[in-house]
Amino acid sequence: MRRNDKPSNGNGNGIGNSQPVKSNGLHTSAKRSNWRQQQVRDQLGHTQVGLVSRPATPPFRLPMSAQPRIAPLKLRFVVVGGSLGGLAVAFALARAGHNVHVIEQRESLVKDACGIRIPPNLARILDRWGLGRDFKENAIQCKQLTFRKLRTGEVLGGLEYKEEVMKVLEADFWLMHYADLLTELYGLAISAGAVVQFGTAVMAIDPCAPTVTLSTGEVLDPDLVIGADGYRSLCQQVIEHDVVEDGGDPGERVDSGTVVYSMNADVSDVTRQSDPELYDIIRRPVWTAYAGQYVSVLTSPSRDYKEFSIQIFKPDVPDTEDTWDKIVPVEKIKTEGFPRALLDLIKRSKTAVETKFVKRRITDWVHPDNKMVLLGESAHPQIPSSTHSGSLAIEDAAVFGAIFSRLRSHDQIRGFLAGYEELRMDRCWEIQESESANSASVMLPDGPEQEERDRSMREAAKLGSGGWDEATFRHLWENIRILFAYDPEEDAEEWWQRWGLLREHAESARATLDLSGMHMDFGATFRTPTEGMVRYVSHYDEENKEGEDDSMHVSESTSPFALSQKLSTMSIEPEQHHRYRD
């Protein structure tokens, strides 16, 4: 997003929303639902005020067995960071024919990690990429989210992942070990032709050339640099520095006041005879949220129930950092009031990763010179160990790969980067807000709000439907439609159909568009619109020279996708109504 295009957040700190946030942490916007989101909405029978109406033309649907597209123009990419996002984008670009070199400072793939949740939106990507059978052999199909009281272990309620909804989603919810998913993605990237260089740090980046200087002394000179280097991203710091030098605003950091302890317990020796209570907890195909006073705990099994992951969310303590590198003994964690089974699991873990969550909204993902771009948590840091922290990075990679599989000219790079940024930025921020709201709801202090939450969950559980129709859980099912039914590759393909092709034709025709009364001269290269006002007049009365109009201001900084979004809100379909004049 170009600096002059930033949405106003109303408070100037780069963190707030420009639109009101609903109770579910998601705000509605003028976006088209994809075909799967529409079907889930119909399946659930939900009709909420403010939701986008069904478009006149059906959204784009990408077959699950779609073959990779080879880019006509192949670029050289350097990816900084070899975790989930870095390896995923390496695969997505390499299979499109691009040359990809991944730089990872660790000596090898991460092995000592915790479990990760694979929601349907991520499972569908892995299926389409050919990993379906492999990752499912190493995963546990999750049937339900269970809510428990932390102090007593009492089951308050649950949210069943209903078979009829999962069928429409074309994917299930899975529980997996992080290291196993990382290994699968590494295999994909290598098989597609990407090079992954371990044990090498990036010492300096010149984003204008661009060049990447390594700890080995080698200097790489790719066409594009992708920063997938996580929370303390060097690439993000370089972009922010240059944005500020160019008159932009620095990003704001807001301490969430929350620290997360992530750990993994070996439970392979637990039997029904040795510990019936613990066995019953660790052998269920569910992930569990324990609700306590200013504290919550998430748990899930992995590796054929032989390991068990625990993430503890607590008020911040001194000397914590927003890094995944700090290992602490579990004895450091205050666990007063935890049930016996959880205490036993924590003791089995021995050590934990201590991570502070710092809330940041990064509004510049692309360097001003359009030769470096951010991806994954370097672009949108999520709550540590949250449901979508891994899936969002892989979604980024899927969108980026799909867009750049269309590359045929260097002149397209700027527009492609802008399209990627704008397709992804709002969704990632909305999910961070949603996850933050959900986290807060299970950390309520004792009092009327907490009592009402517990009462509502118990009442919903009595219905035997997992809260299917209860108002308390209605926003969670709406999240299923918005979050789980989303398909990044379909989103990228629809962007191409709605705007990319229009741009392609206009570039070749050096055109003036005449869109049902709208006139814009885009110039010879069609890189950016000229300064001025886009005006659309509907219901035009020729005799009286009047009609209803809508308009937007466009300038050198207005990206093609932003303009396309405006056209769609004017009820104009560019691919259906454009005419060209030589």
Side-chain angles (χ1 to χ4, degrees), residues 31-47 51-61 124 164-165 168-169 477-487 490 494 498 573:
K31 297 178 183 176
R32 291 159 56 104
S33 298
N34 70 28
W35 74 273
R36 191 178 292 101
Q37 288 172 321
Q38 293 175 359
Q39 289 202 33
V40 172
R41 179 179 59 196
D42 295 344
Q43 183 77 43
L44 297 175
H46 287 176
T47 54
L51 289 181
V52 181
S53 60
R54 186 186 299 272
T57 56
F60 184 88
R61 179 177 183 180
R124 204 163 41 248
E164 58 268 33
V165 177
V168 174
L169 291 173
W477 288 113
E478 180 60 16
N479 280 356
I480 285 181
R481 185 184 75 82
I482 295 173
L483 304 182
F484 294 169
Y486 171 82
D487 191 300
E490 288 178 355
E494 186 175 1
R498 289 172 58 80
E573 297 288 345

Side-chain angles (χ1 to χ4, degrees), residues 7 136 160 183 385 392 446 466 520 528 534:
K136 290 171 186 176
E160 180 186 354
T183 299
S385 301
L392 287 179
D446 292 344
M520 289 184 295
T528 56
V534 175

